[in-house]
Amino acid sequence: MNLRPIQSELFLSLQPLVLVLLDITPMMTVLEGVVMELQDCALPLLREVIPTDKEEVAFKDLDIAILVGSMPRREGMERKDLLKANVKIFKSQGAALDKYAKKTVKVVVVGNPANTNCLIASKSAPSIPKENFSCLTRLDHNRAKSQIALKLGVTSNDVKNVIIWGNHSSTQYPDVNHAKVNVKGKEVGVYEAIKDDSWLKGDFILTVQQRGAAVIKARKLSSAMSAAKAICDHVRDIWFGTPAGEFVSMGVISDGNSYGVPEDLLYSFPVVIKDKTWKFVEGLPINDFSREKMDLTAKELTEEKETAVEFLSSA
Ligand SMILES: *[C@@H]1O[C@H](CO)[C@@H](O)[C@H](O)[C@H]1NC(C)=O
Ligand SMILES: *[C@@H]1O[C@H](CO)[C@@H](O)[C@H](O)[C@H]1NC(C)=O
């Protein structure tokens, strides 16, 4: 995606876009169909769509790269083989970003295992700042927000500052200890508003953690609409910043965090974004319940990283 520089948020609705779509060669006719549909949307700001199967075309001078494609898990496939295939893909895309994209490119990884794929892409693109790589946990964030809103009968806009910590998997920790909800014009803590600690510490967390699987079970396909919406939210916030007093969840490099998460992990944290630069939200008190859950998901990511980095040298 190629975004021209914008002057201010006021011009948000005037931001023209050039979309570059990369896929593998056998998918080129399918991609033509996608191009037709994009044209048929009659989007006033969509200036050009460029379908391609060549990395040098796809990554040239990019402002934003959304890496959606990854090797999906097939029946009977070993986790290690899956990881190996993905390391290969993200090493190649990272190297292409390094070679062809702008050095200020913002890279968003969606394809699973998103956190580790993102770390591999970043390690394969040493000339692009690590901070400019992030992975999507906004879908989990939105799921958490929505579950709270549904429970209280308010809109999702009335809920803010939920946090997703860790991996985008069922070990992720949806944390509402610092979340606020607007009840009849008054901002209160979620625990105070819901008054049901056992739900918040039990079913709420499980529902968010297992939501992806629940959608697949019902639809026989994984989340599509909600994932697309989450990507839009994520990219919009990177480009235009987070609203005052609000933070969002993103998988980012853990270097320099103050939450005891090991360095050199792509871990989901609460962040605020301004001038296209994110910062950790600092100083949130972490209770024992949270600590345990944050460490568990960090452990999972550390193990996955170690295996992936081994593959990286041979990929
Ligand atoms: C981390 O999360 C991703 C995304 O859901 C998943 O594919 C991966 O298996 C998880 N890692 C581990 C080690 O479980
Ligand atoms: C990305 O890198 C640029 C420098 O190329 C830097 O100014 C910016 O703050 C970085 N973005 C984030 C999100 O940290």
Side-chain angles (χ1 to χ4, degrees):
M1 190 186 296
N2 215 319
L3 289 180
R4 286 183 211 154
I6 60 125
Q7 276 135 26
S8 95
E9 195 164 340
L10 267 184
F11 296 106
L12 192 120
S13 58
L14 298 174
Q15 174 65 62
L17 286 176
V18 175
L19 270 183
V20 190
L21 308 175
L22 171 71
D23 211 330
I24 51 176
T25 314
M27 296 302 282
M28 283 302 110
T29 48
V30 175
L31 206 51
E32 270 170 39
V34 175
V35 174
M36 282 189 246
E37 277 217 80
L38 280 165
Q39 290 166 345
D40 299 348
C41 288
L43 299 162
L45 294 170
L46 187 56
R47 294 301 153 82
E48 199 182 350
V49 185
I50 305 168
T52 182
D53 57 0
K54 293 183 184 59
E55 286 188 336
E56 62 269 32
V57 175
F59 290 102
K60 180 106 184 81
D61 293 336
L62 281 192
D63 291 303
I64 295 182
I66 304 174
L67 308 183
V68 182
S70 64
M71 178 68 79
R73 187 192 284 266
R74 299 222 177 77
E75 195 97 47
M77 199 171 186
E78 294 257 353
R79 190 193 284 268
K80 278 206 163 180
D81 293 332
L82 182 68
L83 187 59
K84 198 172 198 170
N86 279 309
V87 167
K88 202 167 166 217
I89 295 172
F90 286 85
K91 182 183 179 179
S92 161
Q93 301 206 336
L97 284 162
D98 201 54
K99 201 162 164 192
Y100 304 114
K102 291 186 185 165
K103 297 304 168 199
T104 52
V105 65
K106 306 290 176 282
V107 185
V108 181
V109 176
V110 179
N112 279 326
N115 300 55
T116 300
N117 288 344
C118 186
L119 188 68
I120 294 299
S122 168
K123 286 185 185 296
S124 309
S127 71
I128 300 167
K130 288 184 203 175
E131 292 73 23
N132 284 358
F133 285 77
S134 61
C135 84
L136 191 77
T137 52
R138 187 60 168 265
L139 177 52
D140 311 292
H141 180 102
N142 286 348
R143 285 166 174 164
K145 209 168 145 164
S146 203
Q147 287 302 314
I148 299 294
L150 286 167
K151 183 84 172 174
L152 288 167
V154 297
T155 75
S156 61
N157 265 355
D158 293 319
V159 182
K160 64 176 191 186
N161 299 353
V162 302
I163 302 170
I164 302 297
W165 299 97
N167 196 14
H168 170 65
S169 73
S170 54
T171 66
Q172 64 172 265
Y173 172 43
D175 176 4
V176 290
N177 284 294
H178 316 286
K180 294 271 187 287
V181 52
N182 185 335
V183 184
K184 300 191 187 94
K186 228 184 109 208
E187 215 168 70
V188 290
V190 162
Y191 271 84
E192 193 189 325
I194 289 191
K195 299 186 182 71
D196 184 350
D197 289 18
S198 69
W199 181 78
L200 283 169
K201 290 189 163 148
D203 280 350
F204 162 71
I205 293 177
L206 284 175
T207 301
V208 176
Q209 287 175 332
Q210 294 169 5
R211 189 67 161 185
V215 170
I216 292 177
K217 188 155 178 262
R219 247 170 59 84
K220 315 283 178 269
L221 288 168
S222 55
S223 331
M225 197 185 351
S226 55
K229 160 67 165 52
I231 296 169
C232 291
D233 288 347
H234 181 116
V235 173
R236 183 201 56 227
D237 287 348
I238 287 181
W239 209 252
F240 299 107
T242 42
E246 269 189 54
F247 48 80
V248 296
S249 311
M250 307 202 303
V252 293
I253 190 73
S254 59
D255 297 2
N257 80 88
S258 59
Y259 292 103
V261 175
E263 305 265 296
D264 196 36
L265 277 190
L266 223 297
Y267 187 100
S268 181
F269 284 96
V271 301
V272 288
I273 308 165
K274 203 181 161 216
D275 300 329
K276 300 189 179 68
T277 306
W278 60 264
K279 285 198 172 68
F280 293 117
V281 174
E282 301 281 8
L284 300 172
I286 303 297
N287 61 28
D288 291 347
F289 181 83
S290 296
R291 182 77 262 160
E292 198 182 304
K293 294 205 155 10
M294 287 162 68
D295 289 347
L296 184 78
T297 189
K299 187 165 168 274
E300 176 178 287
L301 278 175
T302 305
E303 285 166 10
E304 190 168 79
K305 178 188 96 171
E306 281 164 5
T307 317
V309 167
E310 265 173 45
F311 291 148
L312 185 59
S313 48
S314 60

